[in-house]
Amino acid sequence: MSLHINNISKSFKDLKAVKHISLEVKENELFGLIGPDGAGKTTLFRILASLLLPDEGSANVAGFDVIKDYKKLRKNIGYMPGKFSLYQDLTVEENLNFFATIFDTNIEENYDLIKDIYIQIEPFKKRKAGDLSGGMKQKLALSCALIHKPKVLFLDEPTTGVDPVSRKEFWDMLKKLQKKDITIFVSTPYMDEAALCDRIAFINQGEILQVDTPSAIVKNFAKEVINIRTNSIYKSLQVLGKYQYTHSNYPFGESLHYMDSRDDFDPNEIKKHLEDEGIEDVEVQLITPEIEDIFMELSRE
Amino acid sequence: MKKFIGFVQKEFYHIFRDKRSLFILFGMPIAQILLFGFAISNEINNVDIAVLNKADDKNSIEIIENLQASKYFNVLEELQSEKEIEKAFQKGKIKAVVTFEKDFAKNLQRLQASKLQIITDATNPNIANTITNYINSILTKYSHISLKQNTSPELVGTESRMLFNPALESVYMFVPGVMTVILMLVSAMMTSISITREKEVGSMEILLVSPLKPITVIVGKVVPYIFLSIINATVIVLLSVFVFQMPIVGSLSWLALESILFIITSLSLGILISTLSSTQQTAMMISLMGLMLPTILLSGFIFPIESMPLPLQVISNIIPAKWFIIILKSIMLKGVGFGFFWKETLILLFMTFVFLSISIKKYKIRLA
C-alpha cells in the first residue's frame, strides 16, 4: 500500500472539514478524489502532505507516518497545491533549478521523468513564471513537484482554471507518469475527469461517499437515468419537481436528467406527463449513468 | 550548503526584480539623509537680532561687532529704550535682543563683572535655546580673547561649552539617528515582508513540504539583507562625511562591527514580526507602527530621553535603536573605545538572542 489513511478527522473551529476518512491507495495507482468545492479535499491533501495535523486518526504515506516521520516523508512526496505557488518573478528555468536544488538534486538527474512535460514549456524557459498561461503554469508546477522523483505525487485540483485542451494533455501526462513508478493522488471538482482515474473516491462535506473503479461505480449503480430534452428545460424542471414519482431531476448540459422513485417504470409515462403540462418537443431516452449522476445521487443521501 | 546557496540566490532574484523594494532599499536612505541634512535643521544662520546698548562704550561695541561678524547673527536694529523691545519682537523680524547695562565697560573694569541680558523669542523654544547658546559662546570667546589682560576669564555672563559638537551642527545629531532608523526599517520591514510574502503567495506551503530546514529558510532570508544593509550603512556614512562634513572621530572598524550587530538585531526582529503575521500588509503595519515610530520618537534621536516622563524613559530601554544611537554617538562623535559602550553592545546582543530564540520557537513546520 502506498497510502494508508485511517479514520482521519480535522475541524477548523466549528467546521468539520474532514470526518472519519479512511482510504487505501495502491502502489502506482492513479487515484482520484472527486468532490465539489468545500468538500474537504484540500484539507485532506494538506494532512497527507504533513502540512496539517489531523485531530484524530493516522495516515501513512509511502511507508512514513504523516505525524511522526514528517521529515522523511517530505523527501519522498511531491506536492502541488491547488493555488499556483511557484515564484512568479522567477523564470521557468530558475524555478525548476531552485526546486531541484532544495531537494538535493539537479535537472539533469531526473530529466527523463519530467522530459515529456518540460519539453513543452522549454521554449519559454527564460520567461517569468507569472507571465505563463494557466496550462503552462500547471506544467511547470508539475515539473517542479516531480523534479526529485517522489514516490507519491499529490496534485490538488491541478486542472482547475485550465482550458479543456490543456486539461486533456495534463491527464495524458499523468497516465505516463504512473508507468514510471509513481503513485498519484489527485483531486478534482470535474466529474468528467473521474473516468480517467484507476480508482476514485467521492467526497462531500468531509465524508467519503463511495470508493471504487469508475466503471464498477457506473455498473453497480442501481437507478435508471433518463435524459430528457424539451423546448424549455426550466419549465420541465418545475413540472417534474411536483411530479409524484420524481426521485430527482437536475439540469445536465442542454438537457435534464431524471430518476424515478419506482424500481420499474416506462419512460414514456414521463414524456406524456410533460406533454400534458404543456411542454413541447419532449424527447426521453434511457442512458448509462454518468459519474456526475452517481455523485448527485450519493450526495442526496 | 548547496541548498542554502540556492536559497540565497533565489532571494537575490526576488530583491533585484522587485523594482519597488529596490527603490525603497537604496533610494530611501539617500533621500532621508539629504532631507534631514538640508531641510530639517536645528542650526541657525544669519538670524536677525537687535541690540539695546545703554552703555555705548568700548566693550559693548566690540561685543556687538563680534556678534555681527559671526555668520550666525545679523544685527538689524539698534533700539533706544526697553519699551521698544516688545515692539521689535512683535514685528517678527528679530529673534533676539541683547541688552547692555549702563556702565558696561566700567563695571567690567571695576567689579570685574558686568551685566548683559539676552531676550529671545521663544515661540520656537529650540531655536531660542540655540540662539542663547550661540550668543553665549561668542561672549565667552570674546572674554577669553579680548579681555585676556583684564584679569579674570569669567567676566561676562554664563559659561557653557558645547562639547563634541562645538558649533552645534545638527548633522551630528541626525546622522546617527537616520542611520539607525534606516537600518531598522530596511532590515526589519524588508525581511518580515519577504517572509510573509511566501506565506501569502503560497510558496511557503511548498517550502514546508521540501526538506529545507527552518534554520536554512530563516538564515537564507536574512543573509541578502545583511549585505544590503551594510551597503546602506556605508552609503549613509559616506554621504554624511562627504556631503555634510561630519567627522568620524572613533574607530571605523568598531563602527562597522557595531553596525553589523545592529543590523542583525533588526533582522531578527523582522523574523519575529513575520512569525506573528500572516500577510505582507500586517507585517508592514507592525514594522511601521511598532518599529518606526518608537525608533524615531523614543530612541533619543529627536527628543532627548532624559526629558521624557518616567514611564516613557522606562519603555525606551526596550528599544534597540536607543542603545545603537548611544554606541554610534560614542564612536562617531566622542571617539571613545569599546570600554565605553560594551554595556550597550551586550544589551543589543541579548536582544538579538531573545528575538531569534522566540522566532525559531514560533516558526511553524506546518501550516496553521
Side-chain angles (χ1 to χ4, degrees), chain A residues 165-192:
Chain A
V165 179
S166 298
R167 268 168 63 187
K168 193 183 171 303
E169 276 176 12
F170 198 87
W171 278 93
D172 290 343
M173 288 185 293
L174 294 189
K175 287 272 179 201
K176 278 188 199 161
L177 279 177
Q178 199 191 351
K179 294 193 185 83
K180 290 179 178 160
D181 205 22
I182 295 177
T183 308
I184 302 173
F185 192 70
V186 59
S187 75
T188 177
Y190 300 123
M191 303 291 165
D192 53 329

PDB file of all heavy atoms in Angstrom, chain A residues 165-192:
ATOM      1  N   VAL A 165      -8.289  21.710 -23.599  1.00  0.00           N
ATOM      2  CA  VAL A 165      -7.211  21.026 -24.319  1.00  0.00           C
ATOM      3  C   VAL A 165      -6.045  20.733 -23.382  1.00  0.00           C
ATOM      4  O   VAL A 165      -5.538  19.614 -23.304  1.00  0.00           O
ATOM      5  CB  VAL A 165      -6.739  21.891 -25.514  1.00  0.00           C
ATOM      6  CG1 VAL A 165      -5.599  21.184 -26.229  1.00  0.00           C
ATOM      7  CG2 VAL A 165      -7.891  22.159 -26.455  1.00  0.00           C
ATOM      8  N   SER A 166      -5.646  21.756 -22.602  1.00  0.00           N
ATOM      9  CA  SER A 166      -4.547  21.554 -21.658  1.00  0.00           C
ATOM     10  C   SER A 166      -4.912  20.531 -20.598  1.00  0.00           C
ATOM     11  O   SER A 166      -4.076  19.783 -20.122  1.00  0.00           O
ATOM     12  CB  SER A 166      -4.177  22.869 -20.987  1.00  0.00           C
ATOM     13  OG  SER A 166      -3.733  23.798 -21.929  1.00  0.00           O
ATOM     14  N   ARG A 167      -6.204  20.529 -20.232  1.00  0.00           N
ATOM     15  CA  ARG A 167      -6.643  19.548 -19.228  1.00  0.00           C
ATOM     16  C   ARG A 167      -6.439  18.132 -19.739  1.00  0.00           C
ATOM     17  O   ARG A 167      -5.938  17.272 -19.020  1.00  0.00           O
ATOM     18  CB  ARG A 167      -8.128  19.764 -18.909  1.00  0.00           C
ATOM     19  CG  ARG A 167      -8.355  20.683 -17.753  1.00  0.00           C
ATOM     20  CD  ARG A 167      -9.787  21.087 -17.653  1.00  0.00           C
ATOM     21  NE  ARG A 167     -10.669  19.944 -17.407  1.00  0.00           N
ATOM     22  CZ  ARG A 167     -11.989  20.027 -17.416  1.00  0.00           C
ATOM     23  NH1 ARG A 167     -12.576  21.183 -17.647  1.00  0.00           N
ATOM     24  NH2 ARG A 167     -12.710  18.964 -17.200  1.00  0.00           N
ATOM     25  N   LYS A 168      -6.790  17.918 -20.985  1.00  0.00           N
ATOM     26  CA  LYS A 168      -6.650  16.582 -21.550  1.00  0.00           C
ATOM     27  C   LYS A 168      -5.175  16.186 -21.609  1.00  0.00           C
ATOM     28  O   LYS A 168      -4.794  15.086 -21.209  1.00  0.00           O
ATOM     29  CB  LYS A 168      -7.277  16.540 -22.952  1.00  0.00           C
ATOM     30  CG  LYS A 168      -7.444  15.129 -23.452  1.00  0.00           C
ATOM     31  CD  LYS A 168      -7.993  15.028 -24.842  1.00  0.00           C
ATOM     32  CE  LYS A 168      -7.894  13.585 -25.313  1.00  0.00           C
ATOM     33  NZ  LYS A 168      -6.528  13.070 -25.256  1.00  0.00           N
ATOM     34  N   GLU A 169      -4.346  17.134 -22.071  1.00  0.00           N
ATOM     35  CA  GLU A 169      -2.898  16.886 -22.117  1.00  0.00           C
ATOM     36  C   GLU A 169      -2.372  16.520 -20.740  1.00  0.00           C
ATOM     37  O   GLU A 169      -1.553  15.627 -20.586  1.00  0.00           O
ATOM     38  CB  GLU A 169      -2.176  18.164 -22.573  1.00  0.00           C
ATOM     39  CG  GLU A 169      -2.119  18.343 -24.074  1.00  0.00           C
ATOM     40  CD  GLU A 169      -1.477  19.676 -24.421  1.00  0.00           C
ATOM     41  OE1 GLU A 169      -0.890  20.336 -23.521  1.00  0.00           O
ATOM     42  OE2 GLU A 169      -1.574  20.059 -25.585  1.00  0.00           O
ATOM     43  N   PHE A 170      -2.867  17.289 -19.748  1.00  0.00           N
ATOM     44  CA  PHE A 170      -2.393  17.084 -18.398  1.00  0.00           C
ATOM     45  C   PHE A 170      -2.675  15.665 -17.923  1.00  0.00           C
ATOM     46  O   PHE A 170      -1.820  14.988 -17.343  1.00  0.00           O
ATOM     47  CB  PHE A 170      -3.064  18.101 -17.477  1.00  0.00           C
ATOM     48  CG  PHE A 170      -2.376  18.279 -16.161  1.00  0.00           C
ATOM     49  CD1 PHE A 170      -1.334  19.182 -16.037  1.00  0.00           C
ATOM     50  CD2 PHE A 170      -2.761  17.533 -15.055  1.00  0.00           C
ATOM     51  CE1 PHE A 170      -0.687  19.346 -14.831  1.00  0.00           C
ATOM     52  CE2 PHE A 170      -2.118  17.693 -13.848  1.00  0.00           C
ATOM     53  CZ  PHE A 170      -1.078  18.607 -13.729  1.00  0.00           C
ATOM     54  N   TRP A 171      -3.885  15.190 -18.215  1.00  0.00           N
ATOM     55  CA  TRP A 171      -4.239  13.826 -17.793  1.00  0.00           C
ATOM     56  C   TRP A 171      -3.431  12.783 -18.557  1.00  0.00           C
ATOM     57  O   TRP A 171      -3.058  11.747 -17.989  1.00  0.00           O
ATOM     58  CB  TRP A 171      -5.741  13.579 -17.955  1.00  0.00           C
ATOM     59  CG  TRP A 171      -6.478  14.146 -16.785  1.00  0.00           C
ATOM     60  CD1 TRP A 171      -7.019  15.382 -16.685  1.00  0.00           C
ATOM     61  CD2 TRP A 171      -6.703  13.502 -15.523  1.00  0.00           C
ATOM     62  NE1 TRP A 171      -7.572  15.571 -15.453  1.00  0.00           N
ATOM     63  CE2 TRP A 171      -7.396  14.430 -14.710  1.00  0.00           C
ATOM     64  CE3 TRP A 171      -6.400  12.256 -14.994  1.00  0.00           C
ATOM     65  CZ2 TRP A 171      -7.784  14.139 -13.404  1.00  0.00           C
ATOM     66  CZ3 TRP A 171      -6.792  11.958 -13.689  1.00  0.00           C
ATOM     67  CH2 TRP A 171      -7.471  12.901 -12.919  1.00  0.00           C
ATOM     68  N   ASP A 172      -3.145  13.054 -19.833  1.00  0.00           N
ATOM     69  CA  ASP A 172      -2.293  12.122 -20.587  1.00  0.00           C
ATOM     70  C   ASP A 172      -0.927  12.001 -19.923  1.00  0.00           C
ATOM     71  O   ASP A 172      -0.356  10.912 -19.820  1.00  0.00           O
ATOM     72  CB  ASP A 172      -2.119  12.622 -22.035  1.00  0.00           C
ATOM     73  CG  ASP A 172      -3.419  12.490 -22.828  1.00  0.00           C
ATOM     74  OD1 ASP A 172      -4.303  11.735 -22.367  1.00  0.00           O
ATOM     75  OD2 ASP A 172      -3.538  13.149 -23.881  1.00  0.00           O
ATOM     76  N   MET A 173      -0.413  13.155 -19.458  1.00  0.00           N
ATOM     77  CA  MET A 173       0.892  13.138 -18.794  1.00  0.00           C
ATOM     78  C   MET A 173       0.853  12.325 -17.515  1.00  0.00           C
ATOM     79  O   MET A 173       1.763  11.575 -17.207  1.00  0.00           O
ATOM     80  CB  MET A 173       1.327  14.569 -18.486  1.00  0.00           C
ATOM     81  CG  MET A 173       1.731  15.336 -19.717  1.00  0.00           C
ATOM     82  SD  MET A 173       2.379  16.956 -19.339  1.00  0.00           S
ATOM     83  CE  MET A 173       0.982  17.806 -18.710  1.00  0.00           C
ATOM     84  N   LEU A 174      -0.257  12.476 -16.763  1.00  0.00           N
ATOM     85  CA  LEU A 174      -0.378  11.718 -15.517  1.00  0.00           C
ATOM     86  C   LEU A 174      -0.354  10.223 -15.798  1.00  0.00           C
ATOM     87  O   LEU A 174       0.281   9.448 -15.088  1.00  0.00           O
ATOM     88  CB  LEU A 174      -1.660  12.099 -14.775  1.00  0.00           C
ATOM     89  CG  LEU A 174      -1.752  13.522 -14.243  1.00  0.00           C
ATOM     90  CD1 LEU A 174      -2.980  13.675 -13.361  1.00  0.00           C
ATOM     91  CD2 LEU A 174      -0.502  13.887 -13.466  1.00  0.00           C
ATOM     92  N   LYS A 175      -1.054   9.831 -16.866  1.00  0.00           N
ATOM     93  CA  LYS A 175      -1.085   8.407 -17.231  1.00  0.00           C
ATOM     94  C   LYS A 175       0.325   7.891 -17.499  1.00  0.00           C
ATOM     95  O   LYS A 175       0.680   6.773 -17.115  1.00  0.00           O
ATOM     96  CB  LYS A 175      -1.949   8.218 -18.491  1.00  0.00           C
ATOM     97  CG  LYS A 175      -3.425   8.369 -18.231  1.00  0.00           C
ATOM     98  CD  LYS A 175      -3.982   7.020 -17.824  1.00  0.00           C
ATOM     99  CE  LYS A 175      -5.474   7.146 -17.516  1.00  0.00           C
ATOM    100  NZ  LYS A 175      -5.941   6.046 -16.661  1.00  0.00           N
ATOM    101  N   LYS A 176       1.138   8.717 -18.168  1.00  0.00           N
ATOM    102  CA  LYS A 176       2.501   8.295 -18.471  1.00  0.00           C
ATOM    103  C   LYS A 176       3.346   8.202 -17.204  1.00  0.00           C
ATOM    104  O   LYS A 176       4.139   7.276 -17.027  1.00  0.00           O
ATOM    105  CB  LYS A 176       3.152   9.310 -19.431  1.00  0.00           C
ATOM    106  CG  LYS A 176       2.776   9.087 -20.883  1.00  0.00           C
ATOM    107  CD  LYS A 176       3.626  10.001 -21.756  1.00  0.00           C
ATOM    108  CE  LYS A 176       2.981  10.170 -23.122  1.00  0.00           C
ATOM    109  NZ  LYS A 176       3.515  11.365 -23.809  1.00  0.00           N
ATOM    110  N   LEU A 177       3.156   9.187 -16.336  1.00  0.00           N
ATOM    111  CA  LEU A 177       3.950   9.233 -15.099  1.00  0.00           C
ATOM    112  C   LEU A 177       3.719   7.999 -14.246  1.00  0.00           C
ATOM    113  O   LEU A 177       4.632   7.456 -13.630  1.00  0.00           O
ATOM    114  CB  LEU A 177       3.547  10.451 -14.266  1.00  0.00           C
ATOM    115  CG  LEU A 177       4.156  11.777 -14.666  1.00  0.00           C
ATOM    116  CD1 LEU A 177       3.596  12.866 -13.774  1.00  0.00           C
ATOM    117  CD2 LEU A 177       5.675  11.712 -14.530  1.00  0.00           C
ATOM    118  N   GLN A 178       2.474   7.589 -14.238  1.00  0.00           N
ATOM    119  CA  GLN A 178       2.069   6.444 -13.460  1.00  0.00           C
ATOM    120  C   GLN A 178       2.922   5.226 -13.801  1.00  0.00           C
ATOM    121  O   GLN A 178       3.265   4.431 -12.945  1.00  0.00           O
ATOM    122  CB  GLN A 178       0.610   6.196 -13.813  1.00  0.00           C
ATOM    123  CG  GLN A 178      -0.152   5.383 -12.856  1.00  0.00           C
ATOM    124  CD  GLN A 178      -1.476   5.012 -13.471  1.00  0.00           C
ATOM    125  OE1 GLN A 178      -1.845   5.517 -14.533  1.00  0.00           O
ATOM    126  NE2 GLN A 178      -2.187   4.130 -12.805  1.00  0.00           N
ATOM    127  N   LYS A 179       3.279   5.132 -15.065  1.00  0.00           N
ATOM    128  CA  LYS A 179       4.073   3.988 -15.502  1.00  0.00           C
ATOM    129  C   LYS A 179       5.519   4.100 -15.038  1.00  0.00           C
ATOM    130  O   LYS A 179       6.292   3.168 -15.145  1.00  0.00           O
ATOM    131  CB  LYS A 179       4.031   3.898 -17.035  1.00  0.00           C
ATOM    132  CG  LYS A 179       2.634   3.573 -17.545  1.00  0.00           C
ATOM    133  CD  LYS A 179       2.637   3.176 -19.017  1.00  0.00           C
ATOM    134  CE  LYS A 179       1.207   2.991 -19.523  1.00  0.00           C
ATOM    135  NZ  LYS A 179       0.586   4.302 -19.901  1.00  0.00           N
ATOM    136  N   LYS A 180       5.893   5.269 -14.551  1.00  0.00           N
ATOM    137  CA  LYS A 180       7.279   5.463 -14.097  1.00  0.00           C
ATOM    138  C   LYS A 180       7.398   5.266 -12.591  1.00  0.00           C
ATOM    139  O   LYS A 180       8.196   5.934 -11.929  1.00  0.00           O
ATOM    140  CB  LYS A 180       7.778   6.847 -14.507  1.00  0.00           C
ATOM    141  CG  LYS A 180       7.965   6.930 -16.018  1.00  0.00           C
ATOM    142  CD  LYS A 180       8.442   8.276 -16.465  1.00  0.00           C
ATOM    143  CE  LYS A 180       8.635   8.238 -17.978  1.00  0.00           C
ATOM    144  NZ  LYS A 180       8.645   9.584 -18.558  1.00  0.00           N
ATOM    145  N   ASP A 181       6.551   4.400 -12.053  1.00  0.00           N
ATOM    146  CA  ASP A 181       6.693   4.010 -10.664  1.00  0.00           C
ATOM    147  C   ASP A 181       6.344   5.150  -9.693  1.00  0.00           C
ATOM    148  O   ASP A 181       7.056   5.381  -8.714  1.00  0.00           O
ATOM    149  CB  ASP A 181       8.137   3.539 -10.421  1.00  0.00           C
ATOM    150  CG  ASP A 181       8.173   2.581  -9.250  1.00  0.00           C
ATOM    151  OD1 ASP A 181       7.125   1.996  -8.933  1.00  0.00           O
ATOM    152  OD2 ASP A 181       9.245   2.416  -8.644  1.00  0.00           O
ATOM    153  N   ILE A 182       5.290   5.886  -9.980  1.00  0.00           N
ATOM    154  CA  ILE A 182       4.873   6.950  -9.079  1.00  0.00           C
ATOM    155  C   ILE A 182       3.390   6.776  -8.777  1.00  0.00           C
ATOM    156  O   ILE A 182       2.586   6.553  -9.669  1.00  0.00           O
ATOM    157  CB  ILE A 182       5.102   8.341  -9.715  1.00  0.00           C
ATOM    158  CG1 ILE A 182       6.594   8.589  -9.912  1.00  0.00           C
ATOM    159  CG2 ILE A 182       4.490   9.446  -8.863  1.00  0.00           C
ATOM    160  CD1 ILE A 182       6.923   9.894 -10.590  1.00  0.00           C
ATOM    161  N   THR A 183       3.057   6.826  -7.503  1.00  0.00           N
ATOM    162  CA  THR A 183       1.653   6.788  -7.115  1.00  0.00           C
ATOM    163  C   THR A 183       1.106   8.205  -7.198  1.00  0.00           C
ATOM    164  O   THR A 183       1.750   9.140  -6.719  1.00  0.00           O
ATOM    165  CB  THR A 183       1.515   6.282  -5.671  1.00  0.00           C
ATOM    166  OG1 THR A 183       2.230   5.055  -5.567  1.00  0.00           O
ATOM    167  CG2 THR A 183       0.071   6.064  -5.296  1.00  0.00           C
ATOM    168  N   ILE A 184      -0.047   8.355  -7.820  1.00  0.00           N
ATOM    169  CA  ILE A 184      -0.588   9.705  -7.990  1.00  0.00           C
ATOM    170  C   ILE A 184      -1.929   9.813  -7.291  1.00  0.00           C
ATOM    171  O   ILE A 184      -2.845   9.021  -7.534  1.00  0.00           O
ATOM    172  CB  ILE A 184      -0.738  10.053  -9.484  1.00  0.00           C
ATOM    173  CG1 ILE A 184       0.620   9.944 -10.175  1.00  0.00           C
ATOM    174  CG2 ILE A 184      -1.317  11.457  -9.649  1.00  0.00           C
ATOM    175  CD1 ILE A 184       0.557  10.101 -11.679  1.00  0.00           C
ATOM    176  N   PHE A 185      -1.999  10.797  -6.395  1.00  0.00           N
ATOM    177  CA  PHE A 185      -3.240  11.060  -5.665  1.00  0.00           C
ATOM    178  C   PHE A 185      -3.709  12.426  -6.114  1.00  0.00           C
ATOM    179  O   PHE A 185      -3.063  13.436  -5.861  1.00  0.00           O
ATOM    180  CB  PHE A 185      -2.939  11.035  -4.161  1.00  0.00           C
ATOM    181  CG  PHE A 185      -4.161  11.019  -3.288  1.00  0.00           C
ATOM    182  CD1 PHE A 185      -4.972   9.893  -3.239  1.00  0.00           C
ATOM    183  CD2 PHE A 185      -4.483  12.100  -2.483  1.00  0.00           C
ATOM    184  CE1 PHE A 185      -6.098   9.856  -2.413  1.00  0.00           C
ATOM    185  CE2 PHE A 185      -5.606  12.073  -1.656  1.00  0.00           C
ATOM    186  CZ  PHE A 185      -6.408  10.947  -1.625  1.00  0.00           C
ATOM    187  N   VAL A 186      -4.815  12.439  -6.862  1.00  0.00           N
ATOM    188  CA  VAL A 186      -5.221  13.690  -7.489  1.00  0.00           C
ATOM    189  C   VAL A 186      -6.655  14.035  -7.103  1.00  0.00           C
ATOM    190  O   VAL A 186      -7.485  13.144  -6.926  1.00  0.00           O
ATOM    191  CB  VAL A 186      -5.052  13.589  -9.029  1.00  0.00           C
ATOM    192  CG1 VAL A 186      -5.871  12.460  -9.590  1.00  0.00           C
ATOM    193  CG2 VAL A 186      -5.401  14.887  -9.735  1.00  0.00           C
ATOM    194  N   SER A 187      -6.912  15.332  -6.923  1.00  0.00           N
ATOM    195  CA  SER A 187      -8.296  15.723  -6.626  1.00  0.00           C
ATOM    196  C   SER A 187      -8.805  16.594  -7.752  1.00  0.00           C
ATOM    197  O   SER A 187      -8.034  17.256  -8.436  1.00  0.00           O
ATOM    198  CB  SER A 187      -8.360  16.502  -5.312  1.00  0.00           C
ATOM    199  OG  SER A 187      -7.876  17.806  -5.498  1.00  0.00           O
ATOM    200  N   THR A 188     -10.097  16.558  -7.955  1.00  0.00           N
ATOM    201  CA  THR A 188     -10.691  17.397  -8.995  1.00  0.00           C
ATOM    202  C   THR A 188     -12.167  17.616  -8.731  1.00  0.00           C
ATOM    203  O   THR A 188     -12.844  16.757  -8.180  1.00  0.00           O
ATOM    204  CB  THR A 188     -10.502  16.757 -10.398  1.00  0.00           C
ATOM    205  OG1 THR A 188     -11.152  17.584 -11.346  1.00  0.00           O
ATOM    206  CG2 THR A 188     -11.053  15.366 -10.458  1.00  0.00           C
ATOM    207  N   PRO A 189     -12.667  18.790  -9.077  1.00  0.00           N
ATOM    208  CA  PRO A 189     -14.108  19.001  -8.967  1.00  0.00           C
ATOM    209  C   PRO A 189     -14.815  18.599 -10.265  1.00  0.00           C
ATOM    210  O   PRO A 189     -16.031  18.630 -10.332  1.00  0.00           O
ATOM    211  CB  PRO A 189     -14.221  20.513  -8.753  1.00  0.00           C
ATOM    212  CG  PRO A 189     -13.013  21.092  -9.412  1.00  0.00           C
ATOM    213  CD  PRO A 189     -11.953  20.029  -9.465  1.00  0.00           C
ATOM    214  N   TYR A 190     -14.039  18.235 -11.306  1.00  0.00           N
ATOM    215  CA  TYR A 190     -14.634  17.896 -12.601  1.00  0.00           C
ATOM    216  C   TYR A 190     -14.955  16.411 -12.669  1.00  0.00           C
ATOM    217  O   TYR A 190     -14.061  15.570 -12.628  1.00  0.00           O
ATOM    218  CB  TYR A 190     -13.688  18.247 -13.752  1.00  0.00           C
ATOM    219  CG  TYR A 190     -13.336  19.709 -13.805  1.00  0.00           C
ATOM    220  CD1 TYR A 190     -12.008  20.117 -13.756  1.00  0.00           C
ATOM    221  CD2 TYR A 190     -14.332  20.666 -13.910  1.00  0.00           C
ATOM    222  CE1 TYR A 190     -11.673  21.467 -13.803  1.00  0.00           C
ATOM    223  CE2 TYR A 190     -14.009  22.010 -13.957  1.00  0.00           C
ATOM    224  CZ  TYR A 190     -12.679  22.408 -13.894  1.00  0.00           C
ATOM    225  OH  TYR A 190     -12.366  23.726 -13.944  1.00  0.00           O
ATOM    226  N   MET A 191     -16.251  16.098 -12.787  1.00  0.00           N
ATOM    227  CA  MET A 191     -16.682  14.704 -12.785  1.00  0.00           C
ATOM    228  C   MET A 191     -16.170  13.969 -14.024  1.00  0.00           C
ATOM    229  O   MET A 191     -15.907  12.774 -13.973  1.00  0.00           O
ATOM    230  CB  MET A 191     -18.210  14.628 -12.747  1.00  0.00           C
ATOM    231  CG  MET A 191     -18.812  15.355 -11.570  1.00  0.00           C
ATOM    232  SD  MET A 191     -18.432  14.519 -10.024  1.00  0.00           S
ATOM    233  CE  MET A 191     -18.861  15.792  -8.838  1.00  0.00           C
ATOM    234  N   ASP A 192     -16.044  14.707 -15.151  1.00  0.00           N
ATOM    235  CA  ASP A 192     -15.627  14.016 -16.375  1.00  0.00           C
ATOM    236  C   ASP A 192     -14.196  13.503 -16.272  1.00  0.00           C
ATOM    237  O   ASP A 192     -13.788  12.614 -17.010  1.00  0.00           O
ATOM    238  CB  ASP A 192     -15.778  14.941 -17.583  1.00  0.00           C
ATOM    239  CG  ASP A 192     -15.064  16.261 -17.380  1.00  0.00           C
ATOM    240  OD1 ASP A 192     -14.979  16.710 -16.223  1.00  0.00           O
ATOM    241  OD2 ASP A 192     -14.581  16.837 -18.374  1.00  0.00           O
TER     242      ASP A 192
END
